[in-house]
Amino acid sequence: MSELTTVVKERRSAMKFKPEVKITEQELNEMFGLVKYAPSAFNLQHARYVVVRDEAVKAQLHEAAGKQYKVLTASAVIMVLGNQDAYHDVGPIHEGLLNLGVMSKQEYDATVEMVEGFYEERGETFKRDEAIRNASLSAMQFMLIAKDKGWDTCPMIGFDANAVSTLLNIPESHIPVMMITIGKEDTSSQRPRGYRKPVGEFVSYDAF
C-alpha cells in the first residue's frame, strides 16, 4: 500500500486519549503548515483554527461539549471555524499574483469584482454553507496530516456552539464548524472499526 492509503485506512476517531501526552506548538504549526494547502473556493481559505491546550480552558470546553471524556484527556482541543466573510479577502489573497506579474491589473480587478459579486448575490445562507463546506475540507486534511505525524484525532459536533463562541471570543462572522480532539489514543478499550458500506451501496455512475 502507498503511504497515503495506509494513513487513510488507519485514521479513525479516537474516543479516549492518554492524558499525560503533551503536544507542542511547533508540532501543531508543522501540521498547519500543510493544512494550508487544502482546497478552498476561489482560494479564499475560509478555515480558521483556535487551538486550546490550557487545562483550565479545556475544562470549560469539556463542559460545553456535554462532559465528553475525550475533551479532557486530549493533548489539545481544536475548534475549526468557517469564515462567512472570507470573500472580502479576495483582494489581498490575489495581490501576490498581481505583484509577481502573473495577473494583470485588469484580471485582478475583474477577479475581485466577480468573487465579491458571486457571494453577495447568493446571500447569507450561501455564505454560511460555503464557510462550512470549505472549513470541513480543511479539517479533513488536518486529521489526515495529524495521523501521518503519529497523532490521533476525533471530529466532534456535540458541543454548545454559543458557549464555545463566548468562551473563545469567536466573532459572529466565524461559524464553529466542528471540534477536533487530538492526542495519542488510549487503545485499552478500543472497539473494532464500525461497518463500512460496500462501494456499490454509495456510488452510482451517470445517474443516482
Side-chain angles (χ1 to χ4, degrees):
M1 291 191 295
S2 71
E3 291 182 17
L4 176 60
T5 299
T6 300
V7 168
V8 169
K9 287 189 172 183
E10 291 186 352
R11 191 221 64 80
R12 56 181 293 158
S13 296
M15 295 294 105
K16 185 180 180 183
F17 298 94
K18 297 176 181 178
E20 71 278 5
V21 176
K22 306 298 180 185
I23 189 168
T24 67
E25 186 172 326
Q26 180 180 345
E27 288 172 301
L28 287 160
N29 284 342
E30 285 178 2
M31 294 183 227
F32 289 122
L34 296 171
V35 169
K36 68 183 180 182
Y37 295 106
S40 63
F42 303 108
N43 193 32
L44 294 177
Q45 302 165 58
H46 306 67
R48 178 75 155 79
Y49 291 84
V50 178
V51 180
V52 175
R53 292 182 298 159
D54 181 273
E55 293 299 328
V57 181
K58 200 161 61 169
Q60 294 180 75
L61 287 177
H62 175 246
E63 291 291 326
K67 298 184 178 180
Q68 295 183 66
Y69 187 62
K70 55 181 168 279
V71 175
L72 274 186
T73 59
S75 302
V77 180
I78 301 169
M79 290 307 306
V80 185
L81 313 176
N83 182 7
Q84 299 177 92
D85 294 338
Y87 67 101
H88 290 313
D89 295 331
V90 61
I93 284 173
H94 285 81
E95 278 178 3
L97 295 177
L98 176 64
N99 294 335
L100 288 171
V102 177
M103 178 180 279
S104 69
K105 183 63 166 64
Q106 184 177 6
E107 290 174 313
Y108 171 83
D109 290 341
T111 298
V112 171
E113 182 179 0
M114 182 274 291
V115 172
E116 290 186 342
F118 184 83
Y119 280 84
E120 292 289 0
E121 289 169 9
R122 284 160 178 77
E124 299 307 310
T125 299
F126 178 79
K127 293 173 191 175
R128 179 182 175 82
D129 290 347
E130 272 287 89
I132 294 171
R133 270 191 292 266
N134 289 279
S136 296
L137 286 169
S138 180
M140 187 69 247
Q141 183 140 316
F142 172 81
M143 288 186 285
L144 290 173
I145 291 166
K147 188 62 184 176
D148 186 57
K149 298 287 187 182
W151 294 93
D152 301 299
T153 58
C154 182
M156 301 168 55
I157 59 169
F159 59 88
D160 183 331
N162 291 329
V164 168
S165 294
T166 299
L167 174 63
L168 301 180
N169 298 314
I170 297 169
E172 290 185 7
S173 57
H174 287 64
I175 303 167
V177 174
M178 72 182 76
M179 179 184 284
I180 297 177
T181 45
I182 183 171
K184 300 288 185 177
E185 184 178 14
D186 179 347
T187 59
S188 59
S189 57
Q190 186 186 71
R191 297 177 180 178
R193 185 185 288 278
Y195 168 77
R196 291 298 193 268
K197 296 178 181 179
V199 172
E201 287 190 16
F202 65 93
V203 178
S204 58
Y205 292 88
D206 300 323
F208 188 87

